Amino acid sequence: MKKASGFEIVAARCWNMLNEGKPFTPIFVMGAYALYHMNQWGDPAFWAAFGIGLLVALPIFVLYFVYDFPLFLRNYLWFPVIGALVLWRDATLDFGLYGTALGLFFFFTIYFWGTFYYHLRIGTSWWNFKRFWKLVLKNSDSTSGNAQEQMPKFLLLLFIVDGAARRWGMDEVLFSTDFTWSSYAWFVIGLVVYTLVLHRNLFDWKPKEIPTYTNNTAESKVASSEKVYVLVVDGMRKDRFEEANAPFMKNMRAQGTEYTQMETVYPARTVVCFSSMFTGTYPREHGITSNMVWKLGIKVESIFDSLRKVGKRGRLLGIAHLIDSMGDDVESVTAVMHNDKADRNIMERAKLIVSEQNPDLLIVQFIATDQTGHSRGALFDEYREKIEEADQLITEFVGWLQAGGYGDNATYIVCADHGQADGIGGHGHLDEGERYVPFFMYGTGIRSGIKVDEKHSLVSVAPTLAYLLGAPFPSHSRGPVLLEGIEGKQPAELSMKAVEGASWMK
């Protein structure tokens, strides 16, 4: 299993410029407008007018970069489009420009991304576009493939850029005699107020942050586990896990402690979630706010820093994206491989890390389930089958650890970083299927046959790992230690109920 090459790491960062919705919008608007006017590229006057159009539209570019319009809020994006058409009703609309932009968008998302890209990277069929178009239209996440969010954004911006370029860059009064500086200024002011009112009053489903740093128990000076293995099935949706034939993971859950309402963070993007899980805090504090990492490295301590303070070592085995936040603590794996082989190769690499480095903490990111959700959709049989394959590989990996003595006095945590909604990308804004994830602990020091029904957050992972391994909490850890599942440490006031045990390793 080869590591991600330097080229792949750079390519992944470049891809995120197009994959993440916020940078995509200005890139696409500029690209679509320039391509439509290819025959004018040799005319300096065109570029001057284009520059004026971009400068005039800059406030709206900034507004749409700062503010998402998640889930049902994206429906409200059409009102500014209608408002612009009504306000400047004398405008000569260039329907060729808007038709070209729509064609480029659907070509990019449905064929280039959904078919060509996925075929080259993970071996998806050349006919994937036959399903992918449905995912683009239904998608509700924070990626560029969210058609219902991106279309009104880029159509309005193209209208403003084109109008300003023609009105003030080319002196074409035919565009609209009503398109004046004052009317545009009032339009921008109205759009800002409209956006602020919407987000203040309707955007109310973000998980509540824990206001204090970890304080539900003192730091443990003595490790209760010699080793901890965190097995993250990336993008494993909770209800699809229940439907899957995954006997090994479900037996682990039944004979350990399950957290039935484990909540991910917002935005529910992979690099964001991993950063929160292993620092114990939120994006505003650790600095990773999307898969597009503008400034490399987290701003706070991670669990790996905590372990180094007590002479212990942790490793995170994952794809190249995670290097952007966790740096040298990541053992990278290439993401360019057939999806049917991905998790098998990752597991073999995990065995190699254990046998050669024997870390005190090993975190393994299984990626095939998430990639199938992205490329084929989370509500289809292929997605459930990837969860079942992950179960078989985890069965093999745990058996290998125990046979080699690496599983003696070990604790296992099995979870997902986020769930998945339907559609391309499938996660980000906490649509149905994203918010709550499978999460359970098993092994040394973990109570058996317990369900915890109170709501918890994935920011509790880092302090819990530190507690189990006898290390200090990371500097900005806010999540409480998951004491309910630790033998002899559970608070009496929390309501828990036992579940029937299941056979283990039979």
Side-chain angles (χ1 to χ4, degrees):
M1 178 69 184
K2 65 179 181 179
K3 297 182 179 181
S5 65
F7 174 79
E8 182 180 340
I9 293 170
V10 173
R13 291 169 183 163
C14 292
W15 173 247
N16 276 331
M17 295 287 289
L18 298 176
N19 177 266
E20 292 295 311
K22 288 186 175 184
F24 171 82
T25 304
I27 291 172
F28 181 78
V29 168
M30 290 186 286
Y33 192 81
L35 286 173
Y36 180 69
H37 292 283
M38 283 182 64
N39 62 332
Q40 300 180 47
W41 284 8
D43 183 1
F46 162 74
W47 293 107
F50 186 19
I52 290 173
L54 292 175
L55 285 174
V56 171
L58 183 61
I60 301 177
F61 278 118
V62 172
L63 186 69
Y64 282 167
F65 189 88
V66 173
Y67 288 96
D68 290 312
F69 281 75
L71 305 186
F72 70 89
L73 286 187
R74 61 190 176 175
N75 298 323
Y76 290 87
L77 284 166
W78 289 106
F79 289 101
V81 177
I82 297 170
L85 293 175
V86 171
L87 183 62
W88 300 302
R89 56 188 174 276
D90 294 334
T92 303
L93 299 178
D94 191 342
F95 290 104
L97 171 62
Y98 311 124
T100 298
L102 289 168
L104 287 172
F105 176 76
F106 286 113
F107 172 80
F108 169 73
T109 54
I110 294 171
Y111 188 78
F112 181 82
W113 182 352
T115 305
F116 181 74
Y117 168 80
Y118 275 130
H119 178 79
L120 293 183
R121 202 190 117 195
I122 63 173
T124 305
S125 166
W126 282 112
W127 297 98
N128 200 44
F129 62 86
K130 293 171 64 178
R131 178 184 296 178
F132 210 72
W133 70 270
K134 303 175 185 177
L135 305 183
V136 171
L137 292 179
K138 290 189 291 185
N139 179 40
S140 60
D141 68 19
S142 54
T143 68
S144 56
N146 186 336
Q148 295 180 58
E149 181 175 344
Q150 288 297 328
M151 285 192 298
K153 283 184 175 180
F154 70 67
L155 288 174
L156 175 63
L157 284 162
L158 283 171
F159 180 79
I160 299 298
V161 170
D162 187 50
R166 294 163 66 181
R167 184 74 169 86
W168 294 303
M170 303 174 188
D171 293 325
E172 289 190 12
V173 295
L174 289 177
F175 175 76
S176 174
T177 55
D178 296 327
F179 195 68
T180 63
W181 284 111
S182 61
S183 67
Y184 179 66
W186 281 112
F187 178 82
V188 171
I189 292 170
L191 183 57
V192 170
V193 173
Y194 176 75
T195 300
L196 294 176
V197 169
L198 284 177
H199 283 75
R200 182 179 181 86
N201 293 283
L202 298 181
F203 188 16
D204 57 1
W205 62 87
K206 283 185 181 180
K208 292 183 179 179
E209 293 188 4
I210 299 168
T212 59
Y213 293 120
T214 302
N215 61 6
N216 68 324
T217 185
E219 294 176 345
S220 177
K221 303 298 183 181
V222 179
S224 60
S225 301
E226 290 184 13
K227 306 286 182 185
V228 177
Y229 300 98
V230 182
L231 309 176
V232 183
V233 183
D234 196 315
M236 180 167 62
R237 185 170 157 146
K238 199 172 190 296
D239 57 349
R240 300 309 314 271
F241 171 62
E242 297 299 339
E243 295 170 9
N245 180 24
F248 191 81
M249 285 193 285
K250 290 178 179 178
N251 285 346
M252 290 181 84
R253 177 180 67 178
Q255 295 217 359
T257 294
E258 177 191 10
Y259 287 79
T260 63
Q261 293 196 73
M262 183 60 73
E263 191 173 37
T264 190
V265 296
Y266 184 90
R269 304 293 288 157
T270 294
V271 184
V272 178
C273 295
F274 270 75
S275 299
S276 288
M277 288 167 68
F278 301 114
T279 63
T281 191
Y282 300 97
R284 64 171 179 80
E285 203 161 37
H286 59 60
I288 308 300
T289 58
S290 75
N291 282 353
M292 181 67 243
V293 179
W294 298 100
K295 185 176 181 180
L296 301 182
I298 51 176
K299 297 179 180 178
V300 299
E301 286 184 355
S302 70
I303 184 60
F304 307 107
D305 297 314
S306 296
L307 291 175
R308 278 189 280 270
K309 292 179 181 179
V310 292
K312 293 185 177 182
R313 189 182 192 202
R315 303 300 289 159
L316 167 56
L317 176 62
I319 58 175
H321 291 318
L322 298 179
I323 295 175
D324 291 350
S325 63
M326 296 294 180
D328 293 338
D329 292 310
V330 176
E331 293 270 352
S332 69
V333 297
T334 180
V336 183
M337 56 182 156
H338 198 288
N339 204 37
D340 290 342
K341 300 178 181 178
D343 282 354
R344 161 63 62 179
N345 290 341
I346 288 170
M347 187 200 68
E348 295 300 332
R349 177 73 178 281
K351 290 179 181 178
L352 188 64
I353 292 171
V354 172
S355 60
E356 291 183 349
Q357 302 179 32
N358 195 18
D360 302 283
L361 167 67
L362 177 63
I363 303 157
V364 182
Q365 178 196 22
F366 292 98
I367 63 172
T369 299
D370 185 66
Q371 292 188 154
T372 297
H374 286 306
S375 60
R376 300 290 287 162
L379 302 183
F380 294 87
D381 290 342
E382 299 99 315
Y383 178 87
R384 174 183 49 77
E385 289 165 0
K386 280 291 176 279
I387 296 175
E388 294 170 355
E389 290 176 17
D391 182 73
Q392 295 169 11
L393 292 170
I394 289 173
T395 304
E396 181 180 337
F397 183 57
V398 173
W400 179 87
L401 290 171
Q402 293 183 342
Y406 301 109
D408 297 342
N409 299 316
T411 301
Y412 300 89
I413 296 177
V414 179
C415 65
D417 53 338
H418 53 74
Q420 281 210 353
D422 198 16
I424 177 177
H427 54 92
H429 287 328
L430 298 185
D431 201 352
E432 181 182 359
E434 296 180 45
R435 181 181 291 265
Y436 295 102
V437 299
F439 188 98
F440 45 93
M441 305 188 294
Y442 169 85
T444 300
I446 302 301
R447 300 182 73 204
S448 177
I450 298 298
K451 277 188 178 180
V452 180
D453 292 326
E454 287 72 22
K455 184 185 291 186
H456 285 75
S457 169
L458 285 176
V459 296
S460 283
V461 173
T464 300
L465 293 174
Y467 190 88
L468 291 170
L469 290 166
F473 302 139
S475 60
H476 290 70
S477 167
R478 292 183 179 272
V481 176
L482 299 175
L483 295 177
E484 304 94 336
I486 299 175
E487 289 184 348
K489 298 295 181 181
Q490 56 281 0
E493 68 271 14
L494 292 178
S495 63
M496 296 173 286
K497 64 177 182 178
V499 297
E500 294 183 1
S503 59
W504 173 247
M505 297 292 289
K506 290 184 180 180

